[in-house]
Amino acid sequence: MEVVILPDQAAIAAVAADAIEDLVRRKPNAVLGLATGSSPLGVYDELARRHHTGSLSFADVHGFALDEYVGLPVGHPESYREVIRREFTNRIDIHPDNVHGPDGAAEDIPAACAAFEQAIREAGGVDLQLLGVGTDGHIGFNEPGSSLASRTRIKSLIDQTRKDNARFFDSIDEVPHHVVTQGLGTIMDARHVVLIATGAQKARAVHDFVEGPVAAICAASVLQMHPHTTVLIDEAAASGLKLADYYRHTYANKPAWQGI
């Protein structure tokens, strides 16, 4: 796990976009794992800007969304399929048929989850998975206590996650209680994971998953076992890290050939 402490969200977005651009230039048919929430928005803005300058094409790229609410009608503005379209894929030249997401409206949720896993395999697996992290250490919607080997499945949201997400709805009563999410085992299959966390409210979660034990109580801690995870955080999110100075030193002296 590489921990990179950067001055602000703009710098974080630029570094994450650099990683994605480098991947797409090397592999035009790359498979991206797409997260929602506030953490990746700056990255999507930066990638859309680079696309509109004419320097970056996503024409052959495939994208797989990380999760989806259960129970929202198709086309609901806060469904994650619509959020991904609005914030990213409608702003670039990716083919709509190449954008996939878990089906939270399916009549047979387990079958839909199995089909989603199969679609990832058929695409060749995720090359780069973009992630945020919840205040309780969840990634995707893998809440505390999730199996570290889990696959795409239905999950119940804890109260804190529903409160955190209520800002996207008119009230917390509108936030669904259930979601479909890629499992931790699914996420761990990605070849490169890029996780973004900013703000003091994420400092405890960042400490727990970076420097704490690998444990189901902090789902993101499973990333300590991933061979290529890059954690991009600002100073506020890094404030609880015991080895923050070491991470700064390592990044400042990183050989250019290592890449991101």
Side-chain angles (χ1 to χ4, degrees):
M1 179 184 289
E2 179 184 21
V3 179
V4 181
I5 302 171
L6 295 165
D8 53 36
Q9 294 187 32
I12 289 171
V15 171
D18 285 346
I20 294 170
E21 179 172 1
D22 178 67
L23 169 64
V24 172
R25 291 193 183 281
R26 287 185 289 106
K27 186 179 181 181
N29 63 340
V31 178
L32 302 178
L34 304 175
T36 51
S38 57
S39 295
L41 295 182
V43 183
Y44 296 149
D45 287 343
E46 179 62 16
L47 290 171
R49 185 192 67 78
R50 296 182 190 193
H51 167 68
H52 286 294
T53 65
S55 62
L56 183 61
S57 174
F58 295 85
D60 296 320
V61 167
H62 284 255
F64 285 85
L66 190 61
D67 40 35
E68 182 57 275
Y69 288 114
V70 171
L72 292 184
V74 175
H76 188 287
E78 295 309 321
S79 72
Y80 284 151
R81 182 178 293 272
E82 290 303 313
V83 171
I84 288 291
R85 286 175 179 164
R86 183 170 64 244
E87 299 294 346
F88 187 44
T89 60
N90 280 357
R91 303 166 66 189
I92 58 174
D93 61 342
I94 190 170
H95 194 285
D97 290 345
N98 289 355
V99 183
H100 316 272
D103 188 354
E107 292 187 8
D108 187 337
I109 292 288
C113 292
F116 183 71
E117 290 270 343
Q118 181 62 27
I120 294 175
R121 287 192 292 270
E122 290 176 354
V126 173
D127 292 298
L128 187 151
Q129 175 66 59
L130 193 61
L131 293 177
V133 63
T135 55
D136 59 3
H138 74 254
I139 51 176
F141 275 125
N142 293 282
E143 298 283 32
S146 292
S147 165
L148 301 183
S150 54
R151 310 303 300 189
T152 301
R153 71 221 185 279
I154 192 169
K155 286 290 291 182
S156 298
L157 298 181
I158 64 172
D159 287 343
Q160 184 60 53
T161 300
R162 295 185 67 245
K163 290 176 183 176
D164 289 346
N165 288 1
R167 67 190 187 277
F168 299 114
F169 294 82
D170 290 335
S171 75
I172 192 171
D173 294 334
E174 296 183 8
V175 182
H177 288 267
H178 297 94
V179 292
V180 176
T181 183
Q182 289 188 34
L184 296 175
T186 312
I187 292 169
M188 289 289 284
D189 284 345
R191 297 176 184 90
H192 184 191
V193 172
V194 176
L195 184 149
I196 295 171
T198 60
Q201 74 278 8
K202 298 293 179 70
R204 176 62 183 271
V206 169
H207 167 267
D208 288 351
F209 84 77
V210 171
E211 297 181 342
V214 176
I217 194 66
C218 179
S221 67
V222 73
L223 296 175
Q224 292 181 33
M225 302 175 67
H226 192 277
H228 189 191
T229 289
T230 305
V231 178
L232 304 176
I233 55 179
D234 64 6
E235 292 287 351
S239 60
L241 294 174
K242 294 181 180 179
L243 297 178
D245 287 342
Y246 171 71
Y247 304 138
R248 294 187 187 96
H249 174 80
T250 300
Y251 186 65
N253 293 280
K254 183 178 180 178
W257 56 263
Q258 280 190 326
I260 298 169

